[in-house]
Amino acid sequence: MVKRTSFEDDPCPIARSLDAIGDWWSLLIIRDAFLGVRRFSAFQRSLGMAKNILTVRLRALVERGILATEPASDGSPYRDYVLTPKGRGLFPILVALRQWSEEFDEHPEEIATVLVDRARRRPVRKLLLCADDGTPLAPEHTTLAPR
């Protein structure tokens, strides 16, 4: 197996983020954690991943502070995986990926769910990037500046 290149020390924040998140399996694990999955067996059942791959991904997410383990809520000897504040910070990224797919997927009618506001059961508005004064921004309205 080829060792993955680390971008941990890369000056680009996108590369660093990808290093922390890992790969698509990690994002799917995080998605399931947001949906309330907490147990190894439930992640395995939901994702259909091989146990050894799931073990490696969960361990990496815990080591990176995205997930934490805690005693099982039902008092069993198992451990639950829970999102940390760092992990919960990934929510807008998952929403952005979802909304991108809903807009550009070749078969959006095959998408089985719609993200809704839990209280009002209304669809969530598309994420919008704005300047500090609230003006909507497109890519051509932004640039990189030295820190």
Side-chain angles (χ1 to χ4, degrees):
M1 187 169 165
V2 178
K3 182 160 175 44
R4 189 169 70 93
T5 301
S6 174
F7 295 109
E8 182 178 22
D9 297 323
D10 195 292
C12 173
I14 295 171
R16 287 177 170 210
S17 297
L18 291 171
D19 191 70
I21 295 167
D23 55 30
W24 63 81
W25 282 124
S26 297
L27 283 172
L28 293 174
I29 291 167
I30 295 163
R31 175 206 62 191
D32 279 5
F34 274 111
L35 294 173
V37 176
R38 297 171 64 99
R39 294 275 174 87
F40 182 95
S41 60
F43 284 114
Q44 206 273 326
R45 199 171 33 256
S46 171
L47 298 169
M49 292 174 69
K51 290 179 181 182
N52 62 327
I53 294 172
L54 179 57
T55 299
V56 169
R57 296 308 189 280
L58 286 170
R59 184 179 301 129
L61 290 169
V62 169
E63 288 172 357
R64 290 181 173 111
I66 293 168
L67 292 175
T69 60
E70 61 183 34
S73 54
D74 63 3
S76 69
Y78 297 106
R79 304 286 292 172
D80 284 348
Y81 290 91
V82 296
L83 289 161
T84 63
K86 184 177 180 179
R88 292 182 62 76
L90 291 167
F91 183 68
I93 293 167
L94 293 179
V95 172
L97 287 169
R98 177 187 180 88
Q99 290 178 345
W100 177 82
S101 181
E102 289 170 340
E103 183 173 349
F104 295 107
D105 192 273
E106 291 184 23
H107 303 285
E109 69 281 356
E110 295 174 1
I111 298 172
T113 59
V114 175
L115 184 64
V116 298
D117 174 319
R118 187 181 299 263
R120 291 176 291 194
R121 308 299 293 173
R122 302 283 303 144
V124 172
R125 185 182 303 182
K126 186 172 179 183
L127 294 176
L128 180 65
L129 182 66
C130 296
D132 63 358
D133 67 358
T135 304
L137 295 174
E140 61 272 13
H141 302 128
T142 67
T143 190
L144 299 176
R147 189 172 287 278

